[in-house]
Amino acid sequence: MINRRRFLTIGSLAGLIPSLSFRSKKSASGLVSTLSSEPTRLAAKPIVISTWKQPKANAAAQAVLDKGGRALEAVEAGVRVPEADPADMSVGYGGRPDRDGHVTLDACIMDERGNAGSVTFLEHIMHPISVARAVMEKTPHVMLSGEGALNFALAQGFKKENLLTKKAEKEWREWLKTAKYKPIANIERHDTIGMLAIDDQGNISGACTTSGLAYKMRGRVGDSPIIGAGLFVDNEIGGACATGLGELVMRTCGSFLVVELMRQGRTPQQACEEAALRIVKKQDYKDIQVGFLAVNKKGESGAFSIQPGFNYTITQQKQTQVIDAKSYLK
Ligand code: ASP
């Protein structure tokens, strides 16, 4: 039962362990555990890894690392790509609005020293990740929200822009005809980017940015800007990020959990699987998607989701691939 795996680009990735046979066992709760089912990818640094199909974002991050830049610079440069891309309708410019028609953005960033910055419920700014970095570096705080975040961004020289594209507005107006409020994280509506990178020095940083759930309640904030939920980095251990229905990730402190499981000796793959199983055991997961992605200090990586359909992009040794993650439901 080896999972379908789609290799999208660009040559072969050296240093992968061949697939192992799938092992499953019954856990105490009766749920099928898939721990150890997927080989962790072998270490090779530098590395850039991001949720969903994001080869352009990875390329921008890799370009920073190629010049000997910090992982922090790399992840910021990387996620700025989908933030500015109107075709990516879950992130930044072109993101789907809330149910009142406002594009509201969440983002966070974390460096190798454990510094973190975050913005939530931010409007009108194309690059929330850079505002999050400014919060980290230029304020004594970790998180700014809403009007305060916007005022801070403007004071830092960020430009106020309209982020609602014609296409997103048209879809929203169509949705208004039924206005069915069902905040389900289905697979198609999610290409929030979480990105992790390890630089030449072996330092790890991460970034996560999103416009959140389409047609969410005004003021709703998801997991993506929450340190420990949508993203967590511990430079001694590794980093993790999440995508999917943020409410479930927040309730389980998902990314922090993945990193802590790696600290206890799990591979990135095992840690992602265990974090997803925690959700499956306690929450109604049938219609919802959550995906985790992780890298450890050695540069090994892993990913796992509840529903099939989650993929991730890995750039290692100058090769980029988009890989389907294994999932709990087949
Ligand atoms: N996790 C994000 C949120 O709940 C959505 C996503 O991953 O697309 O806001």
Side-chain angles (χ1 to χ4, degrees):
M1 291 170 60
I2 295 168
N3 214 29
R4 182 172 63 94
R5 181 180 294 161
R6 182 159 41 89
F7 292 99
L8 189 97
T9 25
I10 304 164
S12 70
L13 181 62
L16 298 187
I17 306 170
S19 293
L20 302 174
S21 60
F22 185 89
R23 227 158 17 99
S24 64
K25 58 186 187 228
K26 286 270 177 196
S27 70
S29 65
L31 289 162
V32 175
S33 162
T34 54
L35 290 181
S36 304
S37 60
E38 170 89 343
T40 285
R41 271 147 219 289
L42 274 179
K45 295 180 276 191
I47 179 173
V48 177
I49 189 163
S50 54
T51 54
W52 305 108
K53 187 174 155 187
Q54 298 282 6
K56 287 186 196 148
N58 276 32
Q62 184 63 44
V64 173
L65 298 181
D66 285 346
K67 290 187 209 131
R70 279 175 75 192
L72 178 73
E73 305 283 349
V75 295
E76 183 190 6
V79 306
R80 282 173 62 100
V81 173
E83 281 184 342
D85 180 358
D88 188 325
M89 297 186 76
S90 297
V91 182
Y93 176 54
R96 292 186 180 86
D98 64 17
R99 61 186 188 179
D100 300 337
H102 307 278
V103 179
T104 72
L105 305 174
D106 296 338
C108 73
I109 194 160
M110 202 165 178
D111 75 6
E112 75 279 4
R113 297 178 198 123
N115 297 313
S118 156
V119 287
T120 72
F121 192 41
L122 175 63
E123 293 179 67
H124 309 302
I125 302 291
M126 172 104 46
H127 290 298
I129 199 64
S130 298
V131 186
R133 183 172 173 186
V135 172
M136 174 172 88
E137 292 179 339
K138 296 182 178 165
T139 81
H141 307 302
V142 168
M143 183 183 285
L144 290 179
S145 188
E147 197 186 332
L150 175 61
N151 289 341
F152 170 72
L154 297 175
Q156 291 295 314
F158 290 87
K159 223 170 61 200
K160 192 168 179 178
E161 298 180 73
N162 173 28
L163 303 178
L164 185 65
T165 56
K166 290 262 174 303
K167 182 165 190 269
E169 185 176 354
K170 196 168 164 230
E171 282 188 13
W172 167 66
R173 291 200 182 282
E174 204 45 49
W175 173 82
L176 278 179
K177 289 181 185 161
T178 52
K180 200 168 162 211
Y181 187 57
K182 201 175 173 217
I184 282 182
N186 67 30
I187 294 149
E188 295 73 31
R189 289 249 162 120
H190 285 262
D191 36 19
T192 291
I193 185 165
M195 178 180 279
L196 303 160
I198 307 183
D199 61 27
D200 265 349
Q201 310 297 309
N203 285 326
I204 309 169
S205 293
C208 189
T209 178
T210 189
S211 52
L213 291 182
Y215 320 133
K216 60 196 174 186
M217 284 177 72
R218 181 140 179 83
R220 181 264 186 191
V221 171
D223 61 317
S224 305
I226 309 294
I227 298 297
L231 176 75
F232 194 71
V233 172
D234 182 327
N235 202 42
E236 286 171 28
I237 306 299
C241 53
T243 182
L245 189 64
E247 279 72 8
L248 297 193
V249 179
M250 283 191 276
R251 284 181 198 140
T252 50
C253 295
S255 293
F256 180 73
L257 175 62
V258 171
V259 173
E260 287 308 296
L261 289 165
M262 292 195 289
R263 189 191 306 279
Q264 291 161 21
R266 311 277 177 118
T267 65
Q269 182 63 35
Q270 290 168 338
C272 289
E273 294 186 10
E274 175 62 27
L277 288 176
R278 294 274 175 101
I279 294 174
V280 162
K281 280 176 193 166
K282 298 219 167 87
Q283 312 277 336
D284 184 6
Y285 62 90
K286 291 285 184 312
D287 290 328
I288 53 95
Q289 176 66 309
V290 170
F292 290 108
L293 180 63
V295 69
N296 67 13
K297 188 71 179 165
K298 290 189 264 180
E300 297 167 335
S301 57
F304 195 73
S305 58
I306 297 175
Q307 313 282 336
F310 174 47
N311 53 22
Y312 61 101
T313 308
I314 181 166
T315 303
Q316 229 174 357
Q317 296 175 339
K318 304 213 186 291
Q319 308 282 339
T320 296
Q321 291 182 299
V322 178
I323 296 171
D324 285 345
K326 288 186 76 76
S327 54
Y328 181 74
L329 296 173
K330 302 299 169 205

